[in-house]
Amino acid sequence: MITLQDVFEAYYQCRKNKRNTIDALQFEIDYEQKLIELHREIVSGNYQIGRSIVFIVDKPVKREVFAGNFRDRIVHHLIVNKLNPFFEKQFIYDSYSCRKGKGTHFGIKRVERFLRSCSQNYTQDCYILKLDISGFFMHINKDILYQKLKVFIKKNYFNNDPIVRSCGGAGRDDRDILVDLCKKVIYHNPTKDCIIKSSRSKWVGLPKSKSLFFMAENCGLPIGNFTSQIFANFYLNSFDHFVKHKLGIRYYGRYVDDFVILHKSKEHLKNMILVLRNFLWQKLRLTLHPKKIYLQHYFKGVAFLGVFIHPYRIVVGKRTAGNFYWNIKKWNQFILESVKTQPIKNLLSQSQRKEFVSSINSYIGIVKPYNSYKLRKRMLTQSLSVYFWNCVYISGKYDKIVLRK
């Protein structure tokens, strides 16, 4: 059975980065009793999903985000904790999103390796095909996803556990509970009775194809739910295996809905576009973005995960550099406002200084692994306000900024 300990573990994971939010603080009052009640509802099948908060974010791109309340996020972590070990056994090696030991840096290095290997260390011709799925999260078919998950859980969950097998199928109830939870999360419509945090004007410029408010009843997963990211990986798992094993493509990598394929034959890649398009529509009811089909010789490189991968070098993409600059500009505006009312030595509190250092160093950490020395130097010496040098200094070759003691 799903135990009370499972619920407590999900709670501790959920609160790691949310502990200072109002929602988390309210839940923490008498949290033990609340978790006991939540566990009772889950096991009995009486658990119901609460209201979501919806808002618009502009960086790195404009998106509509639905955030479940803290109680529901605990359930999301519980589902992922239970299913992820079994998903990992099914996922291909070159699926990079939301996986332990993978991520953007790993994906970039893998595609760089594909480039070098397919071209025989840049001595032979090879070509790069990069594709994107149109409105991916908004067009995930709930019926297809649920049926896939239901079959997967019934077939794989606990099947390889000799202790459970020896108990005569003691995991059946656990599987039924998980199927029920997945069904509720997948079919829940967060647009109903949601709390809107952004002004209506924020939705101006956001295409209807990227908003759950305009999606069909059985389509779309909310960006912002932990389960949406994991379920999205699972949804495309059959596509990954089709490309790798049915089509026999050696050089293939995917991060969410962006995927790259390398091959020595340009014609082969051209023909493959139709094959991939047909599979996505027939099996998953997804479509390729018609304006995001990139097919070029390897020498021209490829934009992937915020960088541009060239032979012999990787440079930071314009969007990532722009977001870095936007972050610095935001802090500059903040400190210039503080100058009007505060003495220079008191411009930032200790907590604000730590937040500033963490914010800037996070962007440095993103760009540092690549050819970004000049970018880091320009951002820190030319873009950053001089008022910050009262409390921080640059360490190494623009590797990070450090608080002054």
Side-chain angles (χ1 to χ4, degrees):
M1 293 290 291
I2 290 177
T3 65
L4 183 58
Q5 182 180 346
D6 294 329
V7 178
F8 268 80
E9 288 176 358
Y11 163 71
Y12 291 131
Q13 291 175 350
C14 185
R15 77 176 188 177
K16 280 182 181 177
N17 299 318
K18 300 288 183 181
R19 196 163 191 179
N20 292 325
T21 63
I22 294 175
D23 208 9
L25 291 172
Q26 289 176 340
F27 190 92
E28 199 158 339
I29 301 172
D30 197 22
Y31 74 94
E32 292 179 338
Q33 187 59 43
K34 291 175 181 175
L35 291 176
I36 292 171
E37 178 61 28
L38 178 59
H39 174 254
R40 187 180 297 118
E41 290 179 14
I42 290 171
V43 174
S44 66
N46 294 323
Y47 164 73
Q48 297 297 324
I49 299 175
R51 298 175 72 186
S52 296
I53 295 173
V54 59
F55 54 92
I56 296 290
V57 296
D58 294 312
K59 301 294 179 180
V61 295
K62 196 163 193 173
R63 285 197 182 106
E64 176 187 81
V65 178
F66 282 87
N69 64 42
F70 189 78
R71 191 171 187 264
D72 293 331
R73 288 200 292 269
I74 295 172
V75 176
H76 297 165
H77 278 269
L78 174 67
I79 293 171
V80 172
N81 288 347
K82 286 291 186 179
L83 293 181
N84 229 13
F86 299 93
F87 284 161
E88 283 296 322
K89 295 177 182 179
Q90 302 289 326
F91 291 164
I92 66 169
Y93 185 76
D94 284 296
S95 166
Y96 313 126
S97 174
C98 301
R99 296 180 64 191
K100 189 175 181 179
K102 302 293 176 73
T104 55
H105 291 318
F106 181 88
I108 290 165
K109 291 297 183 182
R110 283 290 290 176
V111 172
E112 180 194 32
R113 183 177 176 182
F114 291 166
L115 203 66
R116 187 182 296 273
S117 179
C118 188
S119 65
Q120 296 293 305
N121 204 25
Y122 310 129
T123 61
Q124 296 181 13
D125 287 336
C126 84
Y127 297 86
I128 304 168
L129 174 64
K130 181 173 178 287
L131 300 169
D132 181 277
I133 296 173
S134 182
F136 174 50
F137 278 96
M138 299 299 111
H139 290 90
I140 289 176
N141 186 287
K142 294 182 179 183
D143 295 335
I144 295 174
L145 173 60
Y146 173 65
Q147 289 303 320
K148 281 178 172 287
L149 266 173
K150 184 178 179 180
V151 171
F152 178 86
I153 292 171
K154 294 291 186 181
K155 180 179 179 182
N156 296 283
Y157 192 72
F158 282 153
N159 274 7
N160 294 321
D161 192 330
I163 296 177
V164 174
R165 285 205 309 269
S166 67
C167 295
R172 281 196 300 257
D173 290 336
D174 206 359
R175 288 195 289 265
D176 292 338
I177 292 169
L178 275 174
V179 169
D180 179 59
L181 286 178
C182 288
K183 184 176 183 179
K184 288 177 177 177
V185 170
I186 290 169
Y187 284 102
H188 173 67
N189 186 349
T191 64
K192 304 296 184 183
D193 197 31
C194 63
I195 303 170
I196 300 176
K197 286 290 186 179
S198 295
S199 63
R200 301 282 179 172
S201 61
K202 284 281 189 177
W203 269 263
V204 175
L206 183 73
K208 290 184 177 181
S209 61
K210 293 188 177 181
S211 173
L212 278 181
F213 289 101
F214 299 97
M215 289 298 104
E217 189 67 25
N218 70 330
C219 284
L221 296 182
I223 296 174
N225 281 3
F226 187 30
T227 48
S228 296
Q229 303 170 49
I230 307 302
F231 288 168
N233 258 356
F234 175 76
Y235 195 72
L236 284 178
N237 185 51
S238 60
F239 176 74
D240 293 337
H241 284 278
F242 174 74
V243 175
K244 289 290 289 185
H245 303 127
K246 186 71 174 180
L247 300 181
I249 299 299
R250 180 180 178 185
Y251 303 111
Y252 165 80
R254 178 181 63 81
Y255 189 96
V256 192
D257 61 332
D258 290 336
F259 50 97
V260 174
I261 299 172
L262 282 79
H263 199 274
K264 293 184 180 297
S265 170
K266 187 175 184 179
E267 288 302 314
H268 186 75
L269 291 177
K270 279 184 179 179
N271 296 332
M272 193 179 295
I273 295 173
L274 180 60
V275 176
L276 299 178
R277 180 183 284 121
N278 289 340
F279 181 93
L280 285 169
W281 177 250
Q282 292 171 8
K283 302 295 184 180
L284 302 173
R285 286 295 181 261
L286 298 172
T287 57
L288 291 178
H289 199 300
K291 295 182 179 180
K292 294 185 179 180
I293 298 175
Y294 177 89
L295 177 57
Q296 293 289 352
H297 191 274
Y298 82 88
F299 192 76
K300 294 187 177 181
V302 61
F304 189 58
L305 302 183
V307 301
F308 210 93
I309 305 170
H310 293 276
Y312 302 108
R313 65 193 178 100
I314 303 175
V315 298
V316 176
K318 291 182 179 179
R319 178 183 290 175
T320 304
N323 289 338
F324 192 179
Y325 176 76
W326 175 84
N327 188 52
I328 288 177
K329 184 178 179 181
K330 179 187 69 174
W331 279 104
N332 286 347
Q333 290 172 343
F334 177 80
I335 204 166
L336 287 174
E337 289 296 320
S338 300
V339 167
K340 298 176 182 179
T341 58
Q342 304 265 2
I344 291 179
K345 64 178 181 179
N346 297 328
L347 288 179
L348 296 173
S349 66
Q350 193 63 26
S351 62
Q352 288 172 334
R353 293 181 183 192
K354 290 180 179 179
E355 183 183 355
F356 165 71
V357 169
S358 176
S359 175
I360 300 301
N361 282 341
S362 66
Y363 272 97
I364 294 175
I366 291 172
V367 303
K368 184 183 172 183
Y370 315 113
N371 298 78
S372 63
Y373 173 80
K374 291 182 178 179
L375 172 67
R376 302 196 310 271
K377 181 179 179 180
R378 184 174 73 252
M379 290 292 183
L380 296 180
T381 60
Q382 298 179 24
S383 300
L384 197 61
S385 172
V386 294
Y387 289 113
F388 285 109
W389 302 125
N390 293 303
C391 58
V392 301
Y393 65 90
I394 298 172
S395 175
K397 297 181 178 180
Y398 307 97
D399 294 332
K400 63 180 179 178
I401 59 172
V402 181
L403 277 174
R404 295 184 185 276
K405 294 183 179 179

